[in-house]
Amino acid sequence: MTTIFLFSTLKIFVTLPWIGWLTKEIGGDKVLVYTLVDGRSDPHNINTKPSMIVEIKKADVLIYNGLDLEIAYLPYLIERSGNPKIMPGQKGHINLSKFIPEVIEKIESPVTRAMGDVHPFGNPHYHFDPLNLIYITDSLTKRLQELDYKNKEIYIKNGEKLKKELSDSLNIWLDRYSNLKGKKFVSYHKLYEYTAKRFGFYFVDYIEPNPGIPPSAHHIKNLVDKIKSEGVSLIITSVYYDKKAPQKISELTGVDYVVLPHDINSFDNIKNYFDLMREILNVLNKSKK
């Protein structure tokens, strides 16, 4: 038997800013959203605080990225909350990674410590593909209807509007940034692989030799040689990574490095998902070569 929750306002605990934005776009004034991670923080790891446990205790719904992105802190918060509504298997426990059609970079072989902080279930940064946001919007809209049936028409209306805006924007971006196809980049971390797959560019290497492992002098030397030989357009990093390595590599190669946003509010001008993707695509598109 399906349990239907009837609330005047759904109290929703989300992990990341883009999830909070998406939830508010669909839920409007029928949802109250508490966002755990701020836009300038590393989404892989945060310091938990008692205030977070207080908020998650009050939640009717938990919405998170999944694919073990939040593995360092979310299971602890769920356990400490003792909140039966958001426990795994309950309607109020929503893992958004379950809604996307294809996860890339799954690791089939046994995971070892030498591999670094890998994500064996696949690359968790799927929100950088706008098509995934369309799938997620559709599925999350349906889940919110199940949880708050009396406001289903509001969720349907908002969800359909957002899906159209995302679809229209994706079509515009695919046309506007078509010359990204075939361009080569180097990134600090495997953040933008879903964008690369959607828009046809690719990464020749990474500043991290393995996820979560800082580069050695030997790795930097090899990377400098590869950048020079491969005709790399740009070196990419994010706000929460150390800038010394990309700056040094840029000086040694003559290839510019840029700091790209990774989530809403990671830059002051990134207020929503459309700002996020436009900024990323504009910067990459302006790169040389």
Side-chain angles (χ1 to χ4, degrees), residues 1-16:
M1 181 179 177
T2 301
T3 301
I4 298 175
F5 294 77
L6 296 175
F7 302 103
S8 57
T9 307
L10 278 177
K11 300 180 183 67
I12 302 179
F13 186 100
V14 308
T15 51
L16 305 177

Side-chain angles (χ1 to χ4, degrees), residues 72-97:
Y73 51 88
L74 189 58
Y76 168 80
L77 290 173
I78 294 172
E79 181 181 359
R80 288 295 305 273
S81 77
N83 184 343
K85 296 176 184 177
I86 63 165
M87 293 296 166
Q90 299 303 310
K91 283 284 188 182
H93 183 105
I94 302 176
N95 177 351
L96 295 184
S97 69

Side-chain angles (χ1 to χ4, degrees), residues 108-122:
E108 305 297 341
S109 60
V111 175
T112 66
R113 293 185 67 182
M115 297 168 71
D117 298 328
V118 296
H119 298 281
F121 301 113

